[in-house]
Amino acid sequence: MNRINKVFQKDGTIMSIYFTAGFPAKNDTLSIIKELDSAGVEMIEIGLPFSDPLADGPTIQNSSTIALKNGMNTIVLFEQLKNLRKMTDVPVVIMGYFNPILQFGIEKFCESCKEVGIDGLIIPDLPVDIYNDKYQKIFKSYGLLNMFLITPQTSEKRIKYIDGISEGFIYMVSSYNVTGAIKSFDSFQKKYFKRINEMNLTSPLLVGFGISNKNTFIDAGKYSRGAIIGSAYINWISDKGIYKTSEFIKSLRD
Amino acid sequence: MNRINKVFQKDGTIMSIYFTAGFPAKNDTLSIIKELDSAGVEMIEIGLPFSDPLADGPTIQNSSTIALKNGMNTIVLFEQLKNLRKMTDVPVVIMGYFNPILQFGIEKFCESCKEVGIDGLIIPDLPVDIYNDKYQKIFKSYGLLNMFLITPQTSEKRIKYIDGISEGFIYMVSSYNVTGAIKSFDSFQKKYFKRINEMNLTSPLLVGFGISNKNTFIDAGKYSRGAIIGSAYINWISDKGIYKTSEFIKSLRD
Amino acid sequence: MINYNVDKKGFYGNFGGAFVPEMLYPNLNELALNYVRISKSKSFKKKFNQLLKDYVGRPTPLYFAQSLSEKFKCKVYLKREDLCHTGAHKINNTIGQILLAKELGKKRIIAETGAGQHGVATATVCALLGFKCIIYMGEVDIKRQSPNVARMKMLGAEVRPAKSGSRTLKDATNEAIRDWISNPVDTHYIIGSVVGPHPFPDMVARFQSVIGYETVNQLNELENKSKPDYVIACVGGGSNAAGIFYPFLNDEDVKIICVEAAGKGVNTGKSAATSILGKEGIIHGSKTLLMQTNDGQITEPYSISAGLDYPGIGPMHANLYKSGRGEFISVTDKKAMEWGLLLSQMEGIIPAIETAHAFAILDQKKFKKNDIIVFNCSGRGDKDLDTFIEYFKL
Amino acid sequence: MINYNVDKKGFYGNFGGAFVPEMLYPNLNELALNYVRISKSKSFKKKFNQLLKDYVGRPTPLYFAQSLSEKFKCKVYLKREDLCHTGAHKINNTIGQILLAKELGKKRIIAETGAGQHGVATATVCALLGFKCIIYMGEVDIKRQSPNVARMKMLGAEVRPAKSGSRTLKDATNEAIRDWISNPVDTHYIIGSVVGPHPFPDMVARFQSVIGYETVNQLNELENKSKPDYVIACVGGGSNAAGIFYPFLNDEDVKIICVEAAGKGVNTGKSAATSILGKEGIIHGSKTLLMQTNDGQITEPYSISAGLDYPGIGPMHANLYKSGRGEFISVTDKKAMEWGLLLSQMEGIIPAIETAHAFAILDQKKFKKNDIIVFNCSGRGDKDLDTFIEYFKL
Ligand SMILES: Cc1ncc(COP(=O)(O)O)c(C=O)c1O
Ligand SMILES: Cc1ncc(COP(=O)(O)O)c(C=O)c1O
């Protein structure tokens, strides 16, 4: 069974932490993963940096720009991840825009993922329809799960459709916004979480976009299986460096 | 008999000197006239300065601008000329654009001219046709002669027409140009002077525009009764002051 | 019936004529004898109309301005001369005159310009038909209308600064006239407005009359009427006004409003409101109203807009004023600038500052609900962006 | 017969589609479901055509360029989009999209702009119809196209600088997309070219197709033919090209030439010649040709003209290139600038630098004596005067 599916079989709120590969420094990838592993996160998302990350806010954009300047790219990332599975059993997801994956070659990309022990993918600009038509088969053949997004604007019908295709979990985007840290959820967002929760979908839900503190993390846990935290963590390591990771995780948990 | 007509009855080349009233200084008018009189010029033209002297080149334009700044105007000029005829018997002509004369009032202007002993007028932008239709009568009634211009472009027919209307003399503009000093006449100009000369007009001719030195003055005298000198004299007094006038006149004559 | 057109001697009532030095007589006489004949000839008309259509982009629209109409409770139409090639009505006239110059065998073109629109329009037609082109422009105007200076240079024209007097339009005109005096044979002087000696005012008005005649056709189509209740235009020299008034001059059902530049205020000494501040006199060869001292010296006008910064008005307009046929209203810099911004933000049309003056009368006049008001939207504001930006600190 | 139009899924051959984050799905789906229906409805067409006529000034002339025709020994026609209100073809599309946005109940408009022409066109229609308007523009472009920035401000739009990446058009587009993600309900994003996710490329091409259809009518009138031998246009994103090619896409008698910006030279690393330098990939939600590293990072293009400085081309054009239906030629900064001056001095038309690129192929291609060549004269050079002046030291 895929590590992602396994993690959702356990109880408790899932914390999935996103970081951009190659940031702050080119070779921080494994060190960050080790930190996250020992801090006890349930899932890790590695961002493959892209020049034009149009779903991302300034924090992740900026980390991507630096990562690219540092020399990060797809080849380097897979090279760094060679010993990933000697180090951790936590499920690891790559989040990346479609173009770098296309240029690397989809088949080759899947192969590399499998080789290093990646469990799934979030490709924000690969629409679920095109995935379904053209790409699902190949990703599946390498045992990779593809997770898709829903937003407050997604119709009930389409949510059900996505529920049928998304594997592992559904990424519930918290608001009308690009990525970025906010302080708390408003009543509109909570109503939306509740509405989706009550749909009793097949796939479990994780909330993403805006989770930044204990407050938002706990709230996310109430309406879903957990949360994905990106910009807040990037801000933290920009500030304090990567070796204060466990403090960050603790500050959100208790 | 008008002093202008009288002067043309004598033999010899006529030298008519133009200066701008109010230049170099506001009250130079009578002093300049006195200088010209004792230098023995045959005719004097007083320029009434105008803000927009569109037939004039930079030298006269510039002297007009300064004269106006110095406070020269029509009233002042007539005031200055009160004792003109106590001082000289040389014919004196006012050369002025039509608008200041209109604003002063044509009748009043003629009256004032008569009072101070002005003999004639050159109004470059009062066309001969309109003069003929509307203004000749009034100027005549004050004994003022109006002189008109011809140019290398003026048709034979029109020259004859102008000859019928122009009084005193015809102002033969030497070239296609606004006023300004040149060094010598070219063959085109000489041909033109000759052509006009051979028309045997009723009115005597004076050449104007460009006479600046002995060379051009003597040439003018060959084809006409004499010449009008403006810019060259203005340049001279700008340079040397008004009391070196007789030197200037001598330099042209012998 | 009174006739507000030119008479045989080149006068509009008491105004007009050709008060020029003899040196200009041959040129003006050649024009006066030929302009009507040539411009009415079949071959001329064909070329003129074809260039207006295919090159200038005529007919320009008659645009119903919805927001203005709602706000001012009448039917506001804009005659869109701002859409003409080069950005103002000026090119209608330069096309006409360059074709005439060609017919007369001229090789060299000179022109004066204030706002630069006429200079650009002249440089444009010279490039089009291969004429040498020299543009006189006041030093002050060269500074405040720099985009148009750049355009003239791109088009291959030589821009000569007029450095005398107020160094604006009046002085550029003096320089152009001096050039013409010095080059009477091969050169045609394309005057840019209905000013100067006869036959220029009438010639320019005829070439611009296409604006008015198109308006008649368009009103027929849009309103089933061949005349508006009001036609309104800004007046510098008066060519855009003459063009749109032309078909209506002798039809007193159509009210005519001329809008002049009050500058900082009519009585501040910084104004270009010629009809109020001017007296009869002669400027640039024409008897008309002009701003002058008691002594008859032409005074330096002032307006924020270079195209209205002229101390005279055309003789046709002087006659419209004196006869009462036209209503004259003057508008300050401040009002004009505000209306430039307002028109931009209400209708999406950035007008030339000259043009903006005309619209400002909407604040001052009361109209009836079904009144059809046609504004001549004489030019676009691209040339004035620096002035707008600085004025509003945008 | 091959069909070069879009298919039902939003693809041109292998190119196109909507590769966008789920956050944009509702907006794009709403558009995809409605754009054809609405834009074909009688009431929409009436409003659209009326604004094109009375506000934009359409039809724009098809001008026979005498001097160019003589020099290059063929029949050169210019489709005069430079005469459109605001100065380029861009407004055809913004009029269409704003009417669509109104129909869909949107209240707020965003747009990206490179040269500023699309920004001005968008700000203009927003002023006209009372929409709030925000324009994203790269910091670099804000500097080099300052007159257009001023115009947008006059029109009441907010200009937001894009400070990421190369700070040009690509980055402005990213910012606009981010804004749309954040404001999916009340906002419509008016894309300015035939780029971006389906249905934008097809929608923009349809609104611009008026250029091509007018050309057909005008050729009928002028040449008694309904098709030219060549249609030629510059390609940034490709909207002016798509507009003039539209009626001829599937008629291979008509040769199609796309002119791209070679910048300092195709192989200098300072270029925007996408067809040669690009590879298949995804940019701004569309599968197309784009300039990128081996790693799939989008590279920073370069051209002296802000409107061609884009690392992709529209999917229609990618398909024209791959299929061989269109010929692609690239032209350097230097050539383009020279042609800007040449066109000014030969025809009295100062083109936008974008537009000038298209004309430069006259030096490179041989045409037959009776060949009819139609250039899309996509915009005027007023916005580029500073660049011209500096380049030529005028
Ligand atoms: C746009 C525009 N409107 C009006 C004028 C004023 O000229 P006229 O009164 O001759 O129309 C100018 C002069 O440059 C102008 O550029
Ligand atoms: C005048 C002009 N032409 C062409 C373009 C390029 O755009 P497109 O390729 O979409 O026509 C622009 C873009 O701003 C432009 O302003």
Side-chain angles (χ1 to χ4, degrees):
Chain A
M1 189 192 265
N2 187 297
R3 291 181 194 87
I4 298 171
N5 298 133
K6 254 191 245 165
V7 104
F8 279 97
Q9 287 183 342
K10 294 187 205 151
D11 282 343
T13 305
I14 292 171
M15 182 184 293
S16 176
I17 298 288
Y18 168 96
F19 71 96
T20 304
F23 177 87
K26 183 176 177 184
N27 292 318
D28 283 341
T29 313
L30 281 194
S31 313
I32 291 174
I33 290 173
K34 209 165 165 183
E35 287 290 312
L36 290 169
D37 179 75
S38 48
V41 304
E42 282 74 24
M43 190 148 64
I44 296 173
E45 278 180 39
I46 306 176
L48 184 60
F50 182 49
S51 54
D52 294 74
L54 46 76
D56 287 301
T59 303
I60 294 181
Q61 273 177 58
N62 188 42
S63 69
S64 301
T65 306
I66 293 172
L68 291 171
K69 273 200 196 127
N70 288 342
M72 178 49 62
N73 64 38
T74 319
I75 297 172
V76 169
L77 180 62
F78 284 125
E79 189 60 36
Q80 290 177 345
L81 293 179
K82 261 189 184 159
N83 295 321
L84 171 67
R85 286 307 166 198
K86 291 188 184 152
M87 183 182 289
T88 180
D89 268 334
V90 171
V92 177
V93 164
I94 287 183
M95 131 101 207
Y97 288 83
F98 196 36
N99 197 49
I101 297 172
L102 262 182
Q103 302 309 319
F104 193 79
I106 294 189
E107 183 109 32
K108 188 173 150 206
F109 188 83
C110 291
E111 241 175 61
S112 304
C113 283
K114 192 176 174 183
E115 253 172 55
V116 302
I118 296 295
D119 304 292
L121 298 164
I122 299 171
I123 307 174
D125 59 344
L126 175 60
V128 62
D129 321 72
I130 295 178
Y131 171 73
N132 197 26
D133 276 9
K134 289 186 72 175
Y135 299 111
Q136 188 170 32
K137 234 167 131 183
I138 180 163
F139 283 105
K140 270 210 166 145
S141 71
Y142 289 92
L144 295 165
L145 307 187
N146 268 273
M147 277 66 72
F148 289 91
L149 280 56
I150 64 170
T151 81
Q153 278 289 98
T154 313
S155 69
E156 193 155 321
K157 192 173 151 207
R158 187 164 169 86
I159 292 174
K160 284 181 182 155
Y161 168 67
I162 291 173
D163 187 32
I165 296 167
S166 199
E167 298 140 324
F169 61 91
I170 284 175
Y171 192 139
M172 181 160 61
V173 174
S174 69
S175 66
Y176 304 156
N177 224 325
V178 289
T179 57
I182 59 171
K183 289 247 158 62
S184 63
F185 294 122
D186 59 21
S187 64
F188 174 83
Q189 288 172 296
K190 289 181 184 169
K191 236 189 242 164
Y192 151 64
F193 296 156
K194 210 165 152 217
R195 171 167 63 85
I196 306 302
N197 200 29
E198 284 167 1
M199 282 179 76
N200 288 316
L201 301 173
T202 333
S203 314
L205 298 162
L206 285 187
V207 175
F209 286 36
I211 289 89
S212 68
N213 54 19
K214 201 192 294 191
N215 198 359
T216 43
F217 182 66
I218 289 173
D219 269 357
K222 282 186 197 153
Y223 303 101
S224 76
R225 285 302 315 279
I228 300 162
I229 297 157
S231 298
Y233 180 61
I234 306 256
N235 283 336
W236 180 272
I237 60 178
S238 296
D239 242 37
K240 321 236 157 156
I242 62 175
Y243 298 108
K244 294 271 177 355
T245 293
S246 60
E247 281 176 36
F248 176 74
I249 305 299
K250 262 186 219 146
S251 77
L252 291 168
R253 272 232 164 93
D254 37 42
Chain B
M1 190 192 265
N2 186 297
R3 290 181 197 88
I4 298 170
N5 299 131
K6 253 190 245 166
V7 105
F8 279 96
Q9 289 183 340
K10 296 187 205 153
D11 282 343
T13 305
I14 292 172
M15 183 185 291
S16 176
I17 298 287
Y18 167 95
F19 72 95
T20 304
F23 177 87
K26 183 175 178 184
N27 291 321
D28 283 341
T29 313
L30 281 194
S31 314
I32 291 173
I33 291 172
K34 210 166 169 184
E35 288 292 311
L36 290 169
D37 179 76
S38 46
V41 304
E42 281 75 23
M43 189 147 66
I44 295 173
E45 278 180 40
I46 307 176
L48 185 59
F50 182 48
S51 54
D52 294 74
L54 45 77
D56 287 301
T59 303
I60 294 182
Q61 275 178 56
N62 187 40
S63 69
S64 301
T65 305
I66 292 172
L68 291 171
K69 274 202 195 123
N70 288 343
M72 179 49 63
N73 64 38
T74 319
I75 298 171
V76 169
L77 179 63
F78 284 124
E79 190 60 36
Q80 291 176 344
L81 294 178
K82 259 188 185 159
N83 295 320
L84 171 69
R85 287 306 166 198
K86 291 188 186 151
M87 183 183 291
T88 180
D89 267 333
V90 172
V92 176
V93 164
I94 287 182
M95 131 100 208
Y97 287 82
F98 196 35
N99 197 50
I101 298 174
L102 262 182
Q103 302 310 318
F104 193 80
I106 293 189
E107 183 107 34
K108 189 172 149 208
F109 188 82
C110 291
E111 240 176 63
S112 306
C113 284
K114 190 174 177 183
E115 255 173 54
V116 302
I118 295 295
D119 304 292
L121 298 165
I122 300 171
I123 308 175
D125 59 344
L126 176 60
V128 62
D129 321 71
I130 294 177
Y131 170 74
N132 196 26
D133 276 11
K134 289 186 71 173
Y135 299 111
Q136 188 169 34
K137 234 169 134 180
I138 180 165
F139 283 105
K140 271 209 164 144
S141 71
Y142 287 92
L144 294 166
L145 307 188
N146 268 273
M147 276 68 71
F148 289 91
L149 279 55
I150 63 171
T151 80
Q153 278 291 96
T154 313
S155 69
E156 192 154 322
K157 192 174 151 205
R158 187 162 170 88
I159 292 175
K160 284 179 181 157
Y161 167 68
I162 290 172
D163 187 33
I165 296 167
S166 199
E167 298 138 326
F169 62 91
I170 285 176
Y171 192 139
M172 181 160 63
V173 174
S174 68
S175 66
Y176 303 158
N177 223 326
V178 290
T179 57
I182 58 170
K183 289 246 155 65
S184 64
F185 295 122
D186 59 23
S187 66
F188 174 84
Q189 287 173 298
K190 288 180 182 169
K191 233 188 243 165
Y192 151 65
F193 295 157
K194 214 168 147 211
R195 172 169 61 85
I196 306 300
N197 201 30
E198 285 166 2
M199 282 180 74
N200 290 313
L201 302 173
T202 333
S203 315
L205 297 163
L206 286 187
V207 175
F209 286 36
I211 289 90
S212 67
N213 54 20
K214 203 191 291 188
N215 198 358
T216 43
F217 182 67
I218 290 174
D219 268 0
K222 284 183 196 158
Y223 302 100
S224 75
R225 286 303 315 280
I228 300 162
I229 297 158
S231 298
Y233 180 60
I234 306 254
N235 284 335
W236 180 273
I237 59 177
S238 296
D239 242 36
K240 323 236 159 162
I242 63 175
Y243 298 108
K244 295 274 180 346
T245 293
S246 60
E247 282 176 38
F248 176 76
I249 304 299
K250 260 185 222 152
S251 77
L252 289 169
R253 273 231 164 99
D254 36 43
Chain C
M1 204 192 65
I2 307 175
N3 185 354
Y4 294 97
N5 282 306
V6 76
D7 69 18
K8 280 195 182 134
K9 293 194 163 178
F11 280 83
Y12 298 83
N14 190 30
F15 301 101
F19 293 83
V20 292
E22 185 63 26
M23 294 83 102
L24 290 178
Y25 177 84
N27 284 336
L28 288 174
N29 193 44
E30 182 184 29
L31 277 180
L33 290 177
N34 291 298
Y35 80 107
V36 174
R37 180 185 57 78
I38 293 177
S39 66
K40 283 195 167 172
S41 75
K42 229 172 144 179
S43 73
F44 181 95
K45 266 171 139 168
K46 193 176 156 210
K47 280 182 229 156
F48 183 55
N49 290 332
Q50 193 179 330
L51 283 175
L52 289 185
K53 178 168 172 281
D54 295 340
Y55 188 67
V56 174
R58 305 206 71 90
T60 59
L62 186 67
Y63 166 67
F64 177 68
Q66 185 118 27
S67 306
L68 286 178
S69 297
E70 276 166 19
K71 180 158 179 183
F72 292 97
K73 300 192 177 50
C74 56
K75 292 182 174 174
V76 177
Y77 281 94
L78 272 54
K79 182 63 177 160
R80 297 290 305 278
E81 295 301 298
D82 61 305
L83 292 178
C84 288
H85 183 46
T86 70
H89 68 289
K90 297 280 180 189
I91 196 162
N92 303 320
N93 169 45
T94 60
I95 297 251
Q97 287 201 45
I98 197 97
L99 291 176
L100 197 68
K102 201 170 173 181
E103 206 67 36
L104 296 173
K106 306 292 178 180
K107 303 276 175 261
R108 180 177 173 272
I109 296 293
I110 56 172
E112 87 295 340
T113 196
Q117 286 304 126
H118 175 59
V120 169
T122 303
T124 295
V125 297
C126 287
L128 179 66
L129 295 180
F131 281 75
K132 190 171 160 54
C133 179
I134 288 152
I135 305 292
Y136 292 91
M137 187 169 188
E139 264 191 335
V140 168
D141 293 336
I142 285 180
K143 281 210 188 97
R144 65 178 158 171
Q145 309 274 240
S146 64
N148 276 342
V149 177
R151 292 165 84 196
M152 289 184 261
K153 289 180 178 172
M154 276 293 286
L155 293 159
E158 180 187 338
V159 181
R160 291 196 185 155
K163 299 180 178 183
S164 59
S166 53
R167 294 167 297 134
T168 60
L169 181 53
K170 148 177 110 64
D171 312 285
T173 309
N174 290 338
E175 288 304 329
I177 291 174
R178 287 181 189 119
D179 183 314
W180 210 20
I181 288 176
S182 306
N183 298 280
V185 180
D186 67 338
T187 298
H188 176 67
Y189 173 22
I190 302 190
I191 290 189
S193 192
V194 289
V195 301
H198 178 71
F200 280 106
D202 183 49
M203 183 167 70
V204 175
R206 281 171 192 251
F207 289 142
Q208 292 292 4
S209 69
V210 63
I211 304 173
Y213 288 114
E214 282 178 8
T215 303
V216 171
N217 290 340
Q218 289 164 326
L219 280 176
N220 268 321
E221 193 190 301
L222 294 161
E223 291 279 351
N224 220 350
K225 273 188 171 180
S226 62
K227 45 182 151 175
D229 297 290
Y230 290 85
V231 273
I232 301 171
C234 68
V235 172
S239 66
N240 87 85
I244 200 160
F245 296 168
Y246 203 88
F248 313 114
L249 274 177
N250 295 325
D251 179 352
E252 309 219 7
D253 288 351
V254 180
K255 286 167 214 103
I256 279 174
I257 301 181
C258 295
V259 186
E260 293 182 309
K264 295 193 191 290
V266 169
N267 297 317
T268 60
K270 290 263 173 202
S271 179
T274 306
S275 66
I276 308 173
L277 298 170
K279 280 184 305 184
E280 266 184 57
I282 288 161
I283 179 171
H284 298 138
S286 180
K287 194 162 175 198
T288 187
L289 295 172
L290 64 136
M291 291 165 56
Q292 49 184 317
T293 63
N294 289 334
D295 189 36
Q297 308 299 338
I298 299 173
T299 50
E300 303 184 2
Y302 165 83
S303 165
I304 195 167
S305 81
L308 304 183
D309 201 353
Y310 184 70
I313 49 175
M316 175 201 279
H317 300 288
N319 190 42
L320 293 176
Y321 178 73
K322 278 286 164 175
S323 65
R325 172 71 184 93
E327 181 178 4
F328 281 64
I329 297 180
S330 65
V331 161
T332 60
D333 287 358
K334 183 163 175 292
K335 274 268 165 214
M337 293 301 281
E338 283 165 11
W339 268 89
L341 195 60
L342 201 70
L343 196 68
S344 303
Q345 302 193 346
M346 280 182 75
E347 298 288 348
I349 296 169
I350 306 175
I353 299 176
E354 290 80 5
T355 311
H357 282 76
F359 289 95
I361 66 109
L362 280 170
D363 276 341
Q364 298 184 31
K365 291 278 299 180
K366 262 259 163 276
F367 298 103
K368 289 201 291 281
K369 189 152 174 274
N370 282 319
D371 277 352
I372 297 173
I373 322 287
V374 178
F375 283 95
N376 195 354
C377 189
S378 59
R380 61 184 181 234
D382 295 20
K383 69 185 180 61
D384 296 314
L385 288 171
D386 289 349
T387 312
F388 278 122
I389 293 300
E390 200 179 310
Y391 191 90
F392 291 112
K393 311 268 174 273
L394 287 179
Chain D
M1 204 191 69
I2 306 175
N3 185 354
Y4 294 98
N5 282 306
V6 77
D7 70 19
K8 281 195 182 137
K9 292 195 162 175
F11 280 84
Y12 298 83
N14 189 32
F15 301 102
F19 293 82
V20 293
E22 185 62 28
M23 296 82 104
L24 289 178
Y25 178 85
N27 284 335
L28 289 174
N29 192 45
E30 181 184 29
L31 278 179
L33 291 177
N34 290 298
Y35 81 106
V36 174
R37 180 184 57 77
I38 293 176
S39 66
K40 284 195 166 172
S41 75
K42 228 171 144 179
S43 73
F44 180 96
K45 267 167 131 174
K46 193 177 158 208
K47 278 183 228 154
F48 183 55
N49 291 331
Q50 194 179 330
L51 283 175
L52 288 186
K53 176 168 176 281
D54 296 341
Y55 188 66
V56 175
R58 304 205 71 91
T60 59
L62 186 67
Y63 166 66
F64 177 69
Q66 185 119 27
S67 307
L68 285 179
S69 297
E70 277 166 19
K71 181 157 179 185
F72 293 96
K73 299 193 177 48
C74 56
K75 293 184 173 173
V76 177
Y77 281 95
L78 273 53
K79 182 62 178 160
R80 297 291 303 281
E81 295 302 297
D82 60 305
L83 293 178
C84 287
H85 182 46
T86 71
H89 68 290
K90 297 283 181 187
I91 195 162
N92 303 320
N93 168 46
T94 60
I95 297 251
Q97 287 201 45
I98 196 98
L99 291 176
L100 197 68
K102 200 170 174 180
E103 205 67 36
L104 295 174
K106 306 291 177 180
K107 302 275 175 264
R108 179 176 174 274
I109 295 293
I110 55 173
E112 87 295 341
T113 196
Q117 286 304 127
H118 175 58
V120 170
T122 303
T124 295
V125 297
C126 287
L128 178 66
L129 295 180
F131 282 73
K132 187 170 163 54
C133 178
I134 288 153
I135 306 291
Y136 291 92
M137 188 169 187
E139 263 192 336
V140 169
D141 293 337
I142 285 181
K143 282 211 185 94
R144 65 176 159 174
Q145 308 276 239
S146 65
N148 276 341
V149 176
R151 292 164 83 197
M152 289 184 261
K153 289 179 179 172
M154 278 291 288
L155 293 159
E158 181 188 339
V159 180
R160 290 196 188 155
K163 300 181 179 185
S164 58
S166 53
R167 293 169 295 137
T168 61
L169 180 52
K170 153 176 104 69
D171 313 286
T173 309
N174 290 337
E175 289 303 331
I177 292 174
R178 288 183 187 117
D179 182 314
W180 209 20
I181 288 175
S182 306
N183 299 281
V185 181
D186 66 339
T187 297
H188 176 68
Y189 173 22
I190 302 190
I191 290 190
S193 191
V194 289
V195 299
H198 178 72
F200 279 106
D202 184 50
M203 183 167 72
V204 175
R206 281 170 191 252
F207 290 142
Q208 292 291 4
S209 69
V210 63
I211 304 172
Y213 287 114
E214 282 178 9
T215 302
V216 171
N217 291 340
Q218 290 165 325
L219 280 177
N220 267 322
E221 194 189 301
L222 294 163
E223 291 280 348
N224 219 350
K225 273 188 174 179
S226 61
K227 46 181 151 176
D229 297 290
Y230 290 85
V231 274
I232 301 171
C234 68
V235 171
S239 67
N240 86 86
I244 199 160
F245 297 167
Y246 204 86
F248 313 113
L249 274 178
N250 295 325
D251 178 352
E252 308 218 8
D253 289 353
V254 180
K255 285 167 217 104
I256 280 174
I257 302 181
C258 295
V259 186
E260 293 182 309
K264 295 194 190 290
V266 170
N267 296 315
T268 60
K270 290 263 175 202
S271 178
T274 306
S275 65
I276 307 174
L277 298 171
K279 281 185 301 182
E280 268 185 55
I282 287 161
I283 179 170
H284 298 137
S286 180
K287 194 161 175 202
T288 186
L289 293 172
L290 65 135
M291 292 165 57
Q292 50 184 316
T293 63
N294 289 333
D295 189 37
Q297 308 299 338
I298 300 174
T299 52
E300 302 181 3
Y302 165 84
S303 164
I304 195 166
S305 81
L308 303 184
D309 201 352
Y310 183 69
I313 50 175
M316 174 200 278
H317 301 286
N319 190 42
L320 293 175
Y321 179 72
K322 279 286 164 173
S323 65
R325 172 73 185 93
E327 180 178 4
F328 281 65
I329 297 179
S330 65
V331 161
T332 59
D333 286 359
K334 183 163 176 291
K335 274 270 167 209
M337 294 301 281
E338 283 165 13
W339 269 89
L341 195 61
L342 201 71
L343 196 69
S344 303
Q345 302 193 346
M346 280 182 74
E347 297 289 349
I349 296 169
I350 306 175
I353 300 175
E354 289 79 7
T355 311
H357 282 76
F359 289 96
I361 66 109
L362 280 170
D363 277 341
Q364 298 184 31
K365 291 278 299 179
K366 262 261 162 274
F367 297 103
K368 290 201 292 287
K369 193 156 172 267
N370 281 319
D371 277 352
I372 299 173
I373 321 287
V374 178
F375 283 94
N376 195 354
C377 189
S378 60
R380 62 186 180 233
D382 294 20
K383 68 186 180 61
D384 295 315
L385 289 172
D386 289 348
T387 312
F388 278 122
I389 293 301
E390 200 179 310
Y391 191 90
F392 292 113
K393 310 269 173 276
L394 288 177

